[in-house]
Amino acid sequence: AQSVTQLGSHVSVSEGALVLLRCNYSSSVPPYLFWYVQYPNQGLQLLLKYTSAATLVKGINGFEAEFKKSETSFHLTKPSAHMSDAAEYFCALGGNEKLTFGTGTRLTIIP
Amino acid sequence: GAVVSQHPSRVICKSGTSVKIECRSLDFQATTMFWYRQFPKQSLMLMATSNEGSKATYEQGVEKDKFLINHASLTLSTLTVTSAHPEDSSFYICSARDPGLAAYNEQFFGPGTRLTVL
């Protein structure tokens, strides 16, 4: 069975601080993992993806994520938060016919 | 990256009417498209998988007679909400899978359609 767990439905960080959004997965097949960002009343935009190549993946807008098989994790980080990073973030698991989404994490940036 | 469009972006209709939402892949041919529904402050719920030239596959609990899906070409899938009622009000998002990335099931998402049924 496929599942994705995002710890923390809401995360608040100060502008300029480290952003860490957590994602753990469970998969019976080799996982392909994605992070998407959603701004209000918009669709999902791909931030980055892991497709079994490098375990440290760099994405757009300064985000990166590290695939750790031993921890079944794919946490999203950004060294320095910007006001424009405020949005909803979804971790998703591919590798079969459907994408399995986490419940999402709303990121708030404190000025 | 691949671009997926949706039309309309926002629609308001009266209870009992039908509404059609279009999803187009603009720069690639998508044999498979997906329709999602998203309630406020919640994650995406997959409604159905749309395959070009064949019947859509609906998720458990989704009424196929209420949510009609047609995927008549490699770049267009439509979702028709028939006899809409206020409880159908939601944000509907489509996505398309690039056949070249099918192994990963990477999907490209449209901007969404906000449906409000009065």
Side-chain angles (χ1 to χ4, degrees), chain A residues 23-27 29-31 33 50 52 55 66-75:
Chain A
C23 173
N24 289 88
Y25 69 91
S26 175
S27 177
V29 297
L33 293 153
Y50 168 75
S52 76
T55 56
E66 185 172 10
F67 173 74
K68 292 186 177 180
K69 185 177 180 180
S70 62
E71 299 178 8
T72 60
S73 70
F74 190 57
H75 301 331

Side-chain angles (χ1 to χ4, degrees), chain B residues 1-116:
Chain B
V3 179
V4 176
S5 69
Q6 265 183 260
H7 179 79
S9 58
R10 185 180 296 270
V11 57
I12 301 172
C13 69
K14 293 183 178 180
S15 185
T17 60
S18 294
V19 174
K20 180 185 285 189
I21 303 170
E22 293 185 347
C23 178
R24 294 181 185 272
S25 57
L26 298 184
D27 49 4
F28 67 100
Q29 294 185 327
T31 53
T32 304
M33 291 184 171
F34 303 85
W35 287 95
Y36 296 85
R37 184 173 180 176
Q38 186 179 32
F39 292 101
K41 299 183 180 180
Q42 293 189 28
S43 189
L44 280 70
M45 180 191 78
L46 179 64
M47 299 174 66
T49 302
S50 168
N51 291 296
E52 187 268 337
S54 63
K55 291 184 179 180
T57 302
Y58 290 82
E59 295 299 300
Q60 191 172 8
V62 178
E63 299 176 62
K64 62 181 180 181
D65 294 330
K66 180 163 190 64
F67 298 100
L68 299 179
I69 291 172
N70 183 278
H71 193 158
S73 79
L74 288 172
T75 59
L76 174 64
S77 176
T78 60
L79 168 68
T80 301
V81 183
T82 62
S83 187
H85 291 282
E87 57 266 29
D88 299 323
S89 298
S90 193
F91 194 55
Y92 293 88
I93 305 175
C94 74
S95 70
R97 186 166 68 196
D98 187 329
L101 302 172
Y104 313 136
N105 200 12
E106 180 174 350
Q107 297 175 22
F108 300 94
F109 288 81
T113 297
R114 172 75 59 193
L115 171 63
T116 303

